[in-house]
Amino acid sequence: MTLRSLLAKDWTLEVNTGTSGAPTWTPVRGLTEFAEEIKTKTEDDSDFDGDGWSSDVVTQRGWTLKCKGNRKKDAANVSFTPDPGQEFLRQAGLVVGPGANVEARWYRRDGSPDAFQGYAAVDYKGAGGKTTDLEPFEVELIGQGAPTPIDNPAAE
């Protein structure tokens, strides 16, 4: 069997701009970086029976999606019409409390079974740069509870 590396560009992120009962999955376009991080907390579970070897137990996990991209607008409109997925996250990033929470799903578009869904708080960082730069944005989705494995929407 010949193995080939997976490409990071095959990940996609979508946010639910509808309701939990009637979801509208809106892609977040313009991403240039995507990273899923699982944070792990452990406690020392060592005892004398370990003959001097330590033992740690996982006591908690958390997930975060860290994304970077370039702000985009609808090129067909003369007036500024931002990418709906980016704008949904930007607006959630301006709110304190439950309004800062979103439902998101992320998956690979290459047919891989890697696909997850979960709720997250939004930490949005926007705009700036030199006169020759594209306008960047960064968004961190801070997981609330466990991400749920789902059937990959790209495989349907």
Side-chain angles (χ1 to χ4, degrees):
M1 170 186 352
T2 302
L3 296 177
R4 302 226 185 257
S5 295
L6 297 177
L7 302 177
K9 72 171 187 65
D10 288 327
W11 281 101
T12 192
L13 171 65
E14 296 177 342
V15 290
N16 181 3
T17 57
T19 64
S20 291
T24 300
W25 293 107
T26 304
V28 178
R29 298 174 57 207
L31 294 180
T32 57
E33 293 183 34
F34 177 90
E36 177 188 51
E37 295 182 5
I38 304 296
K39 299 172 187 167
T40 302
K41 293 185 181 180
T42 62
E43 290 291 329
D44 186 351
D45 188 37
S46 302
D47 56 35
F48 293 146
D49 299 326
D51 197 27
W53 289 92
S54 67
S55 174
D56 290 294
V57 173
V58 173
T59 59
Q60 188 176 52
R61 293 197 197 276
W63 60 272
T64 303
L65 300 180
K66 292 185 177 183
C67 304
K68 293 182 180 181
N70 294 315
R71 285 195 71 200
K72 303 269 183 160
K73 72 178 200 81
D74 183 348
N77 286 329
V78 175
S79 63
F80 182 77
T81 305
D83 172 73
Q86 287 184 14
E87 184 62 12
F88 187 78
L89 291 175
R90 190 180 77 78
Q91 290 298 324
L94 296 172
V95 178
V96 174
N101 300 340
V102 299
E103 184 177 17
R105 67 182 186 182
W106 57 104
Y107 56 90
R108 295 186 58 84
R109 294 178 295 219
D110 60 5
S112 162
D114 299 341
F116 304 92
Q117 184 171 321
Y119 290 91
V122 177
D123 183 12
Y124 184 93
K125 299 167 186 74
K130 298 181 284 186
T131 59
T132 56
D133 290 347
L134 299 175
E135 186 172 338
F137 75 92
E138 294 180 31
V139 66
E140 185 173 346
L141 300 182
I142 305 159
Q144 299 175 331
T148 303
I150 60 172
D151 291 333
N152 189 327
E156 296 175 353

